[in-house]
Amino acid sequence: MGKMTCKEDVEARPPSRPPPPPLPEPWCSWLMPLIFLACAALFIYSMYVNDCPSHTNQPENCFLYPPFGRFSFQPMLENPLLGPSTQTLRDLGGLDRSLVVENGEKWRLFSCLWLHAGVIHLLANMMSLLLTGIRLEQEFGFLRIGVLYVFSGFGGSILSCLHQDETKPTISVGASGALFGLLGSMLSELITNWTIYINKCVALTCLLFIIALNLALGFLPRVDNSAHIGGFLAGFFLGFIVLIRPQYGYVSRKYIPAGYDVKKKKTKFKLYQHVLWVVALLILIAGYSIGLIKLYKGTRVENMLLSTIN
């Protein structure tokens, strides 16, 4: 047999295939840190407006009055979370059902998400925000997570309003509803993208444990668990809509290099993902609509009766 030359040997090999399409790079997280800074700045502003020494007859009763002066906290018996007075939080946009329904201040359903009752409340929420929100924003981008955050908080505010006792002047503040929405979205994201995960049972068990632990903390005194539940449910159904992922093996044509042949190109989403998307959207629309109707129905009926009597 004759020898093969190096030239013949090289030409005999099949042409090399182009490299596989690159994986999408993680998003740069800036929205969650910005929300963190906004909440911290508003808390400092609320303490400035509160000005405990000027609004009490005995400034020495303000907690940490000597070192903090104007920024000292309300007495511990009034606010054990180290924060401003209830009236200050109400004036700055705290969630008060009577003001939302009777005075038409609907903006309070959103403004309450940025206020916090005290340092302890702020630190607990911001730790959860940074640990959960940054990872989600890196995976799905600021637009999806921003929509998820705001509308989860909105859902929590509606349920919180519905459960406020009209006979007692109470307010609700904090980002807890929006943060529980992020937890709820993590569960729905795991369900709708089930085929992508490798250790499915481990991921589900860990997530359910974290959710159960956070919901259990909501039954502590002075905690508005209705906002937690409302935010969690809103985030859970929103997750099916905004956190849907393409199935494993799907490649968008814009990421396919020239000359790279994809013979059996997979569809972007599975049928069950489409079904969950539609069902979740319908439930969300119905939930928001029913909640707002129940919130304003009593006032409308009362106004109609008064107008009839007059």
Side-chain angles (χ1 to χ4, degrees):
M1 295 177 63
K3 292 184 177 181
M4 291 178 61
T5 63
C6 291
K7 183 177 180 180
E8 291 173 342
D9 192 27
V10 171
E11 291 178 348
R13 290 182 299 177
S16 59
R17 300 179 67 185
L23 295 174
E25 296 182 1
W27 291 75
C28 177
S29 176
W30 60 267
L31 180 60
M32 294 297 109
L34 185 62
I35 292 176
F36 169 84
L37 293 175
C39 290
L42 279 173
F43 178 74
I44 295 174
Y45 177 70
S46 68
M47 293 306 303
Y48 175 82
V49 173
N50 186 67
D51 193 6
C52 179
S54 297
H55 292 90
T56 56
N57 296 326
Q58 296 177 321
E60 62 274 9
N61 290 338
C62 298
F63 187 64
L64 297 178
Y65 168 64
F68 290 163
R70 182 186 182 113
F71 292 90
S72 57
F73 308 111
Q74 290 295 117
M76 291 292 289
L77 291 176
E78 181 181 343
N79 188 348
L81 297 177
L82 305 181
S85 66
T86 301
Q87 186 58 46
T88 298
L89 293 173
R90 180 179 284 107
D91 293 340
L92 292 178
L95 187 62
D96 186 323
R97 177 171 180 167
S98 62
L99 295 177
V100 171
V101 177
E102 297 173 9
N103 293 11
E105 299 178 2
K106 302 177 183 63
W107 50 271
R108 289 180 179 270
L109 294 169
F110 295 96
S111 63
C112 64
L113 304 178
W114 310 93
L115 298 170
H116 288 83
V119 174
I120 299 174
H121 187 205
L122 177 69
L123 291 177
N125 278 350
M126 293 303 100
M127 286 180 60
S128 179
L129 174 74
L130 295 178
L131 291 173
T132 306
I134 288 181
R135 187 185 72 81
L136 286 172
E137 187 180 358
Q138 288 175 338
E139 290 187 25
F140 297 98
F142 70 92
L143 183 59
R144 295 187 186 187
I145 302 305
V147 170
L148 181 64
Y149 184 88
V150 172
F151 281 93
S152 295
F154 179 54
S157 295
I158 293 175
L159 195 59
S160 176
C161 254
L162 290 172
H163 282 82
Q164 280 188 5
D165 188 352
E166 298 182 25
T167 61
K168 298 179 181 179
T170 58
I171 65 166
S172 177
V173 293
S176 302
L179 296 174
F180 269 81
L182 297 182
L183 288 176
S185 70
M186 291 174 66
L187 179 59
S188 55
E189 188 271 330
L190 177 61
I191 295 173
T192 193
N193 303 317
W194 185 256
T195 57
I196 298 175
Y197 285 85
I198 299 175
N199 298 322
K200 298 178 175 61
C201 293
V202 174
L204 180 61
T205 303
C206 292
L207 184 56
L208 289 176
F209 175 77
I210 295 172
I211 292 171
L213 180 62
N214 280 271
L215 286 174
L217 294 175
F219 291 98
L220 294 174
R222 293 177 177 266
V223 176
D224 186 3
N225 207 35
S226 57
H228 295 177
I229 296 173
F232 178 84
L233 291 175
F236 176 72
F237 292 112
L238 278 166
F240 290 114
I241 299 170
V242 300
L243 301 186
I244 184 172
R245 296 176 188 260
Q247 63 170 308
Y248 184 78
Y250 168 80
V251 179
S252 176
R253 292 201 174 275
K254 65 180 180 179
Y255 294 121
I256 300 176
Y260 190 87
D261 184 26
V262 180
K263 294 182 179 179
K264 294 183 178 180
K265 187 173 179 296
K266 288 189 175 181
T267 57
K268 190 171 185 179
F269 302 111
K270 289 183 175 293
L271 177 61
Y272 80 89
Q273 290 177 305
H274 289 291
V275 173
L276 289 174
W277 191 96
V278 173
V279 172
L281 179 62
L282 294 176
I283 292 176
L284 270 176
I285 295 174
Y288 284 129
S289 301
I290 294 172
L292 290 173
I293 290 172
K294 289 184 67 175
L295 185 60
Y296 287 96
K297 182 180 179 181
T299 302
R300 290 178 179 175
V301 172
E302 183 180 344
N303 291 338
M304 290 174 62
L305 290 174
L306 289 175
S307 61
T308 303
I309 295 173
N310 295 333

